Amino acid sequence: MNKAKILVIDDEVQLRKLLDITLQSSDYNVLLAADGREGIVIAANNRPDLILLDLGLPDQNGQSVLKKLREWYTNPIIILSAQSNEEEIVMALDNGANDYLVKPYRTGELMARIRSLLRRGSTDDLNPVITSGAIVIDLASRLVSNNGVPVKLTVTEYALLILFARNEGRVLTHQYLLKEVWGNSYISQSQYLRVFIAQLRKKIESDPNRPKIIVTESGIGYRFVAS
Amino acid sequence: MLSLLVSKMSIARQIAYSMLIVLFVSLLSFAVNSYVGYHVVAFIYLIAVSLVAVLFDIVPVLITALVSALAWNFFFIAPYYTLYVSSPEDAIFLMTYFLIAITGATLTYRIRRVERRARDREGRNNTIKLYNTLLNSLSHELRTPIAAVMGASEILQTNKTLSKTAQNELITEIAKAAVRLNRQVENLLNMSRLESGFIQPRADWCDINELLHAVVMSVEENGIAQIINVAVAPDFPLVKIDKGIMEQVLYNLVGNATQYTPANSIIDVIATISDNALSLIVQDNGHGFPQDEIDKVFDKFYRLRHEQTGGTGLGLSIVKGFVRAMGGTITLQNRDNGGALFTISIMVEVSYIKNFRNE
């Protein structure tokens, strides 16, 4: 199998170096860019399998680099941000980022996110059976089971769970979930989302208070974690 | 107090008020002129000038001195209703009046200026004191981990004969130092966000049960020796708060409790609601706070007198700042059988839509 190519766009030379070493030691091919313009050129010429994009670039706003990339680039993009500003992160996710990490992040966490996104990207067709812990979701037969026991879900709960499962590993923003499951007019009705997430967790999580399948990304949204 | 109030007025406004005073004194003098004679009237005018000198800036005061001299001349010195002074005696009186008015006014103004400078200096000294406290605790809290990183990495670079164990220990020290630095930087960033008024809470619907468990889980990730219990009624409504800020507040409070209570202590995180009043309680069964220091613990840079664990004294003041930014209050008391009890009270919007069984 070919090594996956990862492009790092970050103006800090120290962090580029660190990521270079870390990624190479995990057997990825690494491309480095110091600003947005260079990043876009390298991405266009080399078609990396994944891009790590720092939002605070010297030459142009990270959000606009993201938008320019997304005009043609379809592989995963992970945002690295020095600010834990929720609005900034939600905006990046809306602009097409697949995931985000706030500096300082743990290397182990970054590698897990990269693996998860690359795994998803490597299969063209969606896996019809998704598992997370004891939960098995069979998309083809529309059946959900917990430890082999069928789980009864309402229509909305099922729609929500399927949306999560199809976007495994990816952060889905509150607005996105509301729009997709309830429709455009519900975009500000976040109380529905809170209630259904709680209900869903009661049915699929072994400890609904310590969710492991539908994980909260505070102030931003939720993430479905498959195993 | 009054002069503070008045000094905020524009100069034009001060002049207008001064002229009103002169007008009022002129009317009063008309009424009493026939009883006391026009020399006494000059003294009444002087009182007015002194009053203006105490209240207003130098320009309105000088104008008042001049206008009152003219008014005295115009209305009360013969020939009346002219600025002409016929007797040399009256001319001397008028000159003297003007001199006394100006001198008095200027002296009063100077005294006030000296007073204001003293006040400014005192304020500046307080700021410097606060700043020094900050510098002392910060330079300690920041330099210690930096020293650890520099020291450890230098040994790792230069001493190639270190045992694997020693190497690992040094690397662990670097990692610990980074965590500590990160916490302090986080504190400083939060402090400056609060100071600059940059924090604007955005309230959204929040599942309190989820929030409390999330906080407890992230505190537990640090590896703790205490037991943390969460108590939320199963039918607890959704409430509208800024979840991100509240999460930090609770994380700090629970984290503090784990830092300052002995192993196996019990920490409770409790949520209650009555109508729209949300109460979040973080309590422990540790030693509590010294009774005479309870009022001060939320002050910026305040550290308990007998505490050895260091810290910048920013944590609880940030907590208080955050709670206030959300429009709530926070109180601390010692529990009857020992231990600290923090209560956050905040008025919230509430939603009881909880179950959609058939959707």
Side-chain angles (χ1 to χ4, degrees), chain B residues 200-220:
Chain B
Q200 285 174 336
R202 285 181 308 143
D204 196 4
W205 293 110
C206 169
D207 182 340
I208 288 290
N209 185 52
E210 183 196 45
L211 169 71
L212 299 192
H213 279 100
V215 168
V216 170
M217 268 161 57
S218 48
V219 172
E220 283 172 348

Side-chain angles (χ1 to χ4, degrees), chain A residues 66-127:
Chain A
L66 180 58
K67 276 193 237 169
K68 281 177 199 159
L69 283 169
R70 271 296 176 238
E71 284 167 11
W72 54 270
Y73 182 80
T74 51
N75 287 337
I77 300 178
I78 300 179
I79 292 299
L80 307 176
S81 168
Q83 289 184 38
S84 54
N85 183 340
E86 290 157 10
E87 282 164 64
E88 185 85 6
I89 291 163
V90 168
M91 193 197 287
L93 293 169
D94 286 344
N95 283 337
N98 298 68
D99 208 339
Y100 73 96
L101 282 166
V102 176
K103 295 177 189 175
Y105 48 79
R106 292 183 185 282
T107 304
E109 189 64 39
L110 173 67
M111 301 315 278
R113 304 280 178 89
I114 291 175
R115 275 197 304 277
S116 160
L117 285 170
L118 286 178
R119 189 172 57 222
R120 250 182 65 75
S122 63
T123 48
D124 281 346
D125 291 317
L126 266 175
N127 192 343

Side-chain angles (χ1 to χ4, degrees), chain A residues 86-87 104 154-156 190-192 194-196 198-199 201 209-210 216 218 222, chain B residues 182 202 204-205 207 209-210 213 217 220 238 243-244 247 353-357 359:
Chain A
E86 290 157 10
E87 282 164 64
T154 67
V155 176
T156 310
S190 60
Q191 68 267 43
Y192 290 97
R194 301 289 182 280
V195 170
F196 274 93
Q199 273 178 219
R201 278 175 175 164
N209 289 329
R210 291 159 181 269
T216 302
S218 203
Y222 301 92
Chain B
N182 187 39
R202 285 181 308 143
D204 196 4
W205 293 110
D207 182 340
N209 185 52
E210 183 196 45
H213 279 100
M217 268 161 57
E220 283 172 348
L238 295 173
K243 193 180 163 204
E247 208 167 1
I353 51 153
K354 264 279 171 177
N355 283 297
F356 299 86
R357 296 247 176 271
E359 279 186 47

Side-chain angles (χ1 to χ4, degrees), chain B residues 53-177:
Chain B
V54 170
L55 292 179
F56 297 146
D57 278 336
I58 188 72
V59 176
V61 174
L62 293 178
I63 293 175
T64 310
L66 181 67
V67 171
S68 64
L70 293 176
W72 183 47
N73 172 10
F74 192 79
F75 295 116
F76 302 103
I77 299 178
Y80 303 120
Y81 309 115
T82 66
L83 289 177
Y84 178 68
V85 182
S86 54
S87 83
E89 204 180 38
D90 282 346
I92 292 169
F93 265 129
L94 187 60
M95 289 281 280
T96 317
Y97 170 85
F98 190 63
L99 272 177
I100 292 173
I102 294 285
T103 318
T106 316
L107 281 177
T108 315
Y109 177 74
R110 281 206 186 146
I111 291 168
R112 279 176 50 209
R113 201 170 51 180
V114 170
E115 267 178 4
R116 195 167 53 228
R117 278 195 189 148
R119 232 184 359 252
D120 287 353
R121 200 160 40 235
E122 197 184 333
R124 218 170 19 243
N125 283 342
N126 283 340
T127 315
I128 290 172
K129 222 185 327 183
L130 204 63
Y131 191 66
N132 280 338
T133 322
L134 170 73
L135 277 186
N136 283 338
S137 59
L138 265 191
S139 55
H140 176 79
E141 285 301 311
L142 295 178
R143 281 189 172 146
T144 308
I146 291 171
V149 171
M150 288 173 74
S153 52
E154 195 182 329
I155 301 173
L156 285 169
Q157 275 175 334
T158 52
N159 190 336
K160 302 294 178 199
T161 58
L162 278 178
S163 71
K164 196 81 196 157
T165 327
Q167 281 183 24
N168 282 337
E169 270 176 32
L170 289 172
I171 291 167
T172 310
E173 283 312 307
I174 293 178
K176 270 200 234 162

